[in-house]
Amino acid sequence: MATTENLPTAEAERPIGFGRLKRKEDARFIRGQGTYLDDIRLPGMVHGAMLRSPYAHARILSIDTSRALAHPNVAAVITAKDLETLGLAWMPTISYDTQAVLAGDKVRFQGQEVAFVIATDEYSANDALQLIEVDYEPLPAVVNARKALDPDAPVIRDDKAGQRDNLASPLWEAGDKESTDRAFAEADTVVTRDIIYPRCHPAPLETCGIIADFNPATGQLDIYNGNQAPHAHRTVYAHVAGLAEHMIRIRCQDIGGGFGNKVPVYPGYVCAIAGSIVAGVPVKWVENRTENLTSTGFARDYVMRSEMCAKDGRITGLRVNVIADHGAFDSTAQPTKFPAGFFHIVCGSYDLQASHVQVKAVYTNKAPGGVAYRCSFRITEAVYLVERMVDALALEMKVDPIELRLRSFIAPAQFPYETTTGWTYDSGNYAATMQVAMDLAGYNELRREQAEKRARGELMGIGVSFFTEGVGAGPRKHMDILGLSMNDGADLRVHPSGKAVVSISAQTQGQGHETTFAQIVAEELGIPPEDVEVRHGDTDRSPYGLGTYGSRSTPVSGAAVAVVSRKVRDKARQIAATMLETRPEDLAWEKGRWYVKGDPEKGALIEEIAARAYSGEELPEGFEGGLDAQVIYDPPNLTYPYGAYIAVVDVDPDTGHVKVRRFIAVDDCGVRINPMIVDGQIHGGLAEGIGIALMELLSFDEEGNCLNSSFMDYLIPTALECPDFELGETVTPCPHHPLGAKGVGESPNVGSPPAIVNAVIDALHETHGVEHIDMPCTPARVWAAMQGRPEPPQ
Amino acid sequence: MDVSIVVNGKQVTRDIEPRQLLVHFIRETPGLTGTHWGCDTSNCGACVVLMDGAPVKSCTILAAMCEGHEIRTVESLERDGRLDPVQQGFHERHALQCGFCTPGMLMTARALLDENPDPTDEEIRIAISGAICRCTGYKNIVSAVRWAAEHEAAAKHGDGLRQEV
Ligand code: FES
Ligand code: FES
C-alpha cells in the first residue's frame, strides 16, 4: 500500500492525484519479494548457456559438439546448422538489417553467439561450453570507425548481397547546406572540433534473460522476459519464429533496470525459444555480466567533426559530420524514417540562422547495438556535441559560456519554434531556467572562488550545459518502428465499488508506473490512488503499445491514461444526469463528483455512479452499462523538456583525478505528476552521466578484443563518485499534452556529460591550455591532456 | 556433499556441488530469491547478506564455507509484521527504483547501523560504496539510511516505529 500522508490533501475533501506520493511498488521490493526473471522457476525447466566467439573477425571452419553432447546433463546443443533447418539462423534487427542468431559462416565481433547448450542446470550448461570445439581462421578486424571505409578494409558483411564495403547506412542529411555556408561566410568567429562520444553501455544491474515455454499440445508459447516493449517483442517473435501472434504471451514481471539495454531482441532469446520448441520443456537463459557488456546493446559510438560560428556576439551557424559506428550488425534502435535517430536536434536551444548535419554509419567488428542508454534516439550525442561547441566558441570569443548561451537562446515569444533542422519545439523559457540554475549554484561566487584557487595552484572548474530534448515518440504520421506506429493504448475499468484497474502498454523498469499512472487516474476521476490498480507487463492483459524508452511513458502512455480517464468521466456524467434527473450539460465537475450547477448539494460521487452503471436501475437512453473505456493515444508532437545544468569539479594537479564536487540540475519537464519520482529519475540519470563523463568506456584493442568486459574494467559510479545532487525546477507546461507534462527520464543523462567535460576543460584551460578532451575523463586521460597530449578514447 | 547452514534462523541442509556459490544456495532455498546477483567479479553488491552479522558478498563465498555459520538475508528484516527501520527508510525517502540493488543495500545498511548507529553522510557513502545502484544516484539511499538511524534512535527512547508500507 502506498502512503499518502504527504499529499497536498489538507483542505481538499477528495484526494488529489498529483504530488509526492510514496511508491506502491516499494512494498514488495523492500521485502525482497520482487519477481525478477531469474527468480522464476517453472516445473521441468532446463537451462541454456551461450558459447561465444573469442575472435572479433574469423571464419568458422568447423564446430564439433560431440563431446558436449556426451555430457550426462546436456539435453541439446544448437548451432547455426540446426537453426537453418528451423529458418531461424538469421533474425531481423530493429533497423531493417539482419543479424545472425548463431554464427555459421563467420564471427563478426568478439562475444558473438556461436552455439547454445541446453542442460539440466546452469553449472552443467556452462561446463559443456568448454567441451565444444570450434575451428576458427582469424581475419583482420575493423575496429576504428574512421578506417572502416578505407578501400583496403576487410568487408565485414559479405553475407549481404551486393555489400562491397563497410557502409551500414548511406549518408543522411538534415538542415540546409547552402544557407549554412552563407552563415559561415558572414560569421566573425568560427571554431572547429573533433569530438567523440565513445561507446558505453547501459549496464542495468539485472542482466538480460528469458524463459521460453512452448506447449506442443496447444501451440502456445509463454515467454517470461524483462524487456522494455513486450507487445513489440511479441510481434517480432511472430515474424521471426513464424508463430501465430495470438498464441504468444509475454510476461515482464519486475525488471532490474533497462535504460535502453532491454529494448532489442537478442540471439539468446531466439535460441531459448527454439530450444523450448524443440525440447518441449521450458528453457531459461540468463546472461552473465561479461555477456551483457560485450554482446548486448551498447550506446553512442559517434565520431563527430563540427564547426560552429558566431556573428555580432551570438551563435549563428552549425555544421556537423558524423561517422556512426554501428558494430557488426545494424541494430540501432530508431524510428524507421530516422536512421540517425533524433540527432538533428543538434541545433540545441539556440536561435540559429542555419545548420547542416550529415551522418553516415559504418560496420565494424564490434558488438551491434546503438540502443539508447537513457537517451531519446541519439539526442544525447547531439546535446553533448552542441554544448561542447558552444563552450569552445565562448572560449574563442573570450565571453562567459553562460553569457553566450543567454545571448543565443530561442526567446519565449518564438515558441512554437521551428528549428533549422525541422523540429517544432513546443514551449520554453530558457533564460529563466538558466537563471534559476545560476542562483542555485551561486555562479558569480563560484567564479570568484575559482580565481582564488587558481592563484593558489588549485584546479577548479565550472561547467555549464543547457539542453533541449525531444521525447515521447511519436506521432503516427512520422514515427514507426518496424512498421508499428509509436502509439500507446490504455484501458480503464471502474468496478461497481468504485475501484479501478487501468491497463497500460508502457513497461516500467523502475520508473514507478504503478504509482504515477494510478495518480493520473486519481487526479482525473477523483478517487484515491490506492483504489487504482495499474496493470502492465503482460501482453494478454494489457492493450497494444510500444513500451518504455525514449522518455515516452508520460508523454504517450501517460497521455493515454489521462484521455481514457476523461472518457470515463464523460460517461459518468451521462449516468449522473440520469441519476439526478437533469441534463448532462447542467452538471459541473469537481474532484470525484458530478453536481448540479446552481445546486451543488445535489450530486453523485464517482463510486455512486459506478454502482449505478452496473445496476439494474435506469441508465441513459441507449447506454450499454458499465463504466469503462479504451483509447489508443497518437501524440500530435514530441514534448520538449529542457534544463540548465552546472557542474563544479576539482582536478587533482598531481594525478589528473576529477572529483565532481557539486552538481546543480534545474529541469523543466512541464507539469510534474509525482515530483518525488521525477527527482529520483534525475538523480539516477545524473549518476549515469557522471559515469559516462568520467569512467564508463567500452574500448577495444586493434584485434577487436573488448577491454572492458566486466565491472572490474567497465567502471560504474558508486556513492563515492556522486555528489549530493542539488535540484531545482521551472514549470512550463506542454501545450499539447493533456496534463501539460513532458518526459524527463533521460534528461539528466543527456545534460550532465557536457556540463562535466566543460567543467574539466574550464579547470585546465587557463593553466594547461587544454581546449578539448574526450570522455571518459579518467585520471590517465586527463593527465595526458594536462601534458599537452590528449588522446582519443579509441 | 552435505552442507548445513543456518539461514534466517532456520537450519537448511542440502546435498550440493562443492563449487556451489552461497548466492545460489540461498536462492535455491524456497522463498528466498530476494538475494540477487549482478556481476561475475564481486563488484556490484546485489548479493550482500550478513554472515554472523557481518556483510559479505554471497557470490564470492562457497556455500560449503558457510557450514555452521549463520546467514541473514533481506527476508529476515521484517519481524512479526514490523518492518526494519532501514526498510521503512528506503520507502520514506524513495531510495529504490527498480529494486534490484535494494536487498543488498538494505543488508549493507543494516550492518552499518548495527556497528555505527549514528553515521555521518560520508560514513554512509563509504559503507555502501561496495555496492552499485544504477537507478537512484545514491542520494536518496544516503538519506534513507539517515532516516533509519534517526528513527532507530527514537525507537530506543520509546517513541516506537510506524509501520506503514
Ligand atoms: S553478484 Fe556482484 S558482487 Fe556479488
Ligand atoms: S534501484 Fe535499480 S539498481 Fe538500485
Side-chain angles (χ1 to χ4, degrees), chain A residues 679-704:
Chain A
D679 286 353
Q681 287 289 304
I682 294 168
H683 295 157
L686 293 178
E688 290 176 338
I690 288 175
I692 294 166
L694 301 184
M695 307 156 75
E696 295 181 29
L697 172 69
L698 282 178
S699 64
F700 298 81
D701 69 11
E702 282 179 8
E703 270 130 45

Side-chain angles (χ1 to χ4, degrees), chain A residues 3 22-23 26 30-31 36 38-39 123 127 201-202 289 373 509 680 683-684 696 717 719 722 724-725, chain B residues 19 21 24 27-28 37-38 40 78 87 91-92 97-100 125 132 134-136 138-139 164-165:
Chain A
T3 44
K22 284 169 210 154
R23 300 198 322 166
D26 289 357
I30 56 174
R31 293 177 168 92
Y36 302 91
D38 199 25
D39 300 342
Y123 283 60
D127 286 344
H201 199 281
R289 179 56 60 189
Y373 163 8
Q509 313 121 47
H683 295 157
E696 295 181 29
C722 296
D724 192 21
F725 303 118
Chain B
R19 60 178 172 169
L21 300 175
H24 292 144
R27 288 177 54 77
E28 276 168 25
W37 68 268
D40 323 316
E78 185 178 23
Q87 291 174 300
H91 174 63
E92 296 292 332
Q97 291 180 29
C98 78
F100 200 75
R125 284 184 182 271
I132 290 170
R134 204 54 168 150
C135 300
T136 66
Y138 307 102
K139 180 179 166 112
E164 279 181 2
V165 190

